[in-house]
Amino acid sequence: MIRMVKFVSIPVSDQDRALAFYTEKLGFKVATDQQFNEKQRWIELRIPGAETSVVLFTPEGHENRIGGFFNGSFASDDVMKTYETLSARGVEFTGPPQKQPWGTFAMFKDPDGNQFVLSSR
């Protein structure tokens, strides 16, 4: 039976720039970085403490997905503290964290303009 999401793909235009952002600014760890084809590498990153990984890869013909909204959410125990830490590292947020009845969230962007939700319960 299905037991987890193994990875999600984040479409990027420049894999080296994206790799630097996700490792240096967000703190993800490289699990795999190998040549996939003549144009791209397969770069799989682990999120510390999580089972799900992210892949910095754009399937051929899907370049129009670069710079879109990520259909998911990254979780944090303390969104405000994470917001402050990542902002200090140069991560661009669309605004400060907002408290809602279901939890706190903030939105940030990567260098390609992909937008992500950071949330807590």
Side-chain angles (χ1 to χ4, degrees):
M1 297 306 297
I2 297 172
R3 63 179 187 88
M4 69 179 211
V5 173
K6 181 178 177 182
F7 63 80
V8 295
S9 182
I10 299 173
V12 299
S13 62
D14 181 325
Q15 288 184 303
D16 289 323
R17 180 180 67 183
L19 180 60
F21 174 82
Y22 286 93
T23 57
E24 296 169 13
K25 298 198 185 284
L26 300 186
F28 294 4
K29 305 296 181 194
V30 176
T32 303
D33 185 349
Q34 59 188 6
Q35 201 63 38
F36 182 79
N37 59 29
E38 64 281 349
K39 294 180 182 178
Q40 293 190 82
R41 304 185 329 254
W42 183 261
I43 303 174
E44 190 169 335
L45 304 176
R46 297 187 196 278
I47 302 168
E51 289 188 53
T52 303
S53 298
V54 299
V55 176
L56 305 176
F57 184 82
T58 307
E60 191 171 328
H62 294 270
E63 293 80 7
N64 64 336
R65 294 182 181 180
I66 297 170
F69 181 79
F70 180 75
N71 193 16
S73 178
F74 289 117
S76 171
D77 292 331
D78 186 336
V79 172
M80 182 56 79
K81 184 176 180 181
T82 302
Y83 166 80
E84 291 168 355
T85 299
L86 296 182
S87 291
R89 293 180 186 170
V91 175
E92 178 187 352
F93 282 82
T94 61
Q98 298 178 32
K99 291 185 180 187
Q100 299 294 327
W102 48 264
T104 302
F105 82 99
M107 302 253 325
F108 69 92
K109 296 180 180 183
D110 74 1
D112 279 303
N114 293 308
Q115 295 179 48
F116 303 90
V117 173
L118 174 68
S119 65
S120 65
R121 294 183 184 203

